[in-house]
């Protein structure tokens, strides 16, 4: 194998790219930042687990692809932020109660 055929770890997205695409499409359709209610609706409409979508959104923020804002203030999402939400090995809607802001791609 040559170096060009080996994917480096940093080239492999750390999030679900299909869910990222769904979120971006919804963001462009809505023409506004997306909130937890939007993600819940996406989960129900597309028969996707809510926590899968939210983990993807957190990972996108951690890697600087998306940002989270609350009251127009940019809020840093870190690995510790995400890890603290996994008390019961799954992220649940009740765990998201403090996340009343919105997510948007970094442009």
């Amino acid at each position: 194998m040559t170096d060009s055929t080996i994917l480096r770890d940093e080239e492999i997205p750390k999030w679900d790219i299909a869910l990222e695409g769904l979120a971006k499409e919804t963001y462009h359709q809505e023409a506004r930042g997306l909130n937890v209610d939007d993600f819940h609706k996406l989960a129900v409409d597309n028969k996707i687990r809510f926590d899968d979508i939210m983990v993807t959104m957190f990972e996108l923020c951690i890697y600087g692809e998306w940002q989270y804002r609350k009251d127009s203030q940019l809020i840093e999402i870190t690995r510790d932020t995400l890890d603290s939400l996994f008390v019961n090995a799954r992220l649940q809607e009740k765990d998201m109660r403090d996340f009343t802001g919105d997510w948007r791609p970094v442009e």
Side-chain angles (χ1 to χ4, degrees), residues 31-49:
R32 62 170 172 76
L34 303 178
N35 58 42
V36 171
D37 290 338
D38 294 317
F39 295 121
H40 182 265
K41 184 175 180 342
L42 283 175
V44 170
D45 290 352
N46 294 282
K47 296 176 178 46
I48 300 166
R49 286 194 333 231

Side-chain angles (χ1 to χ4, degrees), residues 81-98:
T81 307
L82 181 57
D83 289 347
S84 71
L85 295 171
F86 277 100
V87 177
N88 297 316
R90 282 244 177 256
L91 194 146
Q92 300 175 13
E93 286 183 61
K94 66 180 178 151
D95 300 324
M96 298 300 300
R97 69 180 163 258
D98 293 330

Side-chain angles (χ1 to χ4, degrees), residues 15-25 56-57 60 65-66:
W15 55 86
D16 186 313
I17 58 172
L19 295 179
E20 175 190 17
L22 183 61
K24 272 190 179 175
E25 180 181 321
T56 294
M57 299 315 301
L60 286 164
E65 299 292 321
W66 281 62

Side-chain angles (χ1 to χ4, degrees), residues 1 7 9 11 15 31 36 43 63 65 68 77 90 102:
M1 248 187 282
L7 282 178
D9 197 34
E11 294 173 347
W15 55 86
V36 171
Y63 284 94
E65 299 292 321
Y68 173 73
I77 301 288
R90 282 244 177 256
D102 63 39

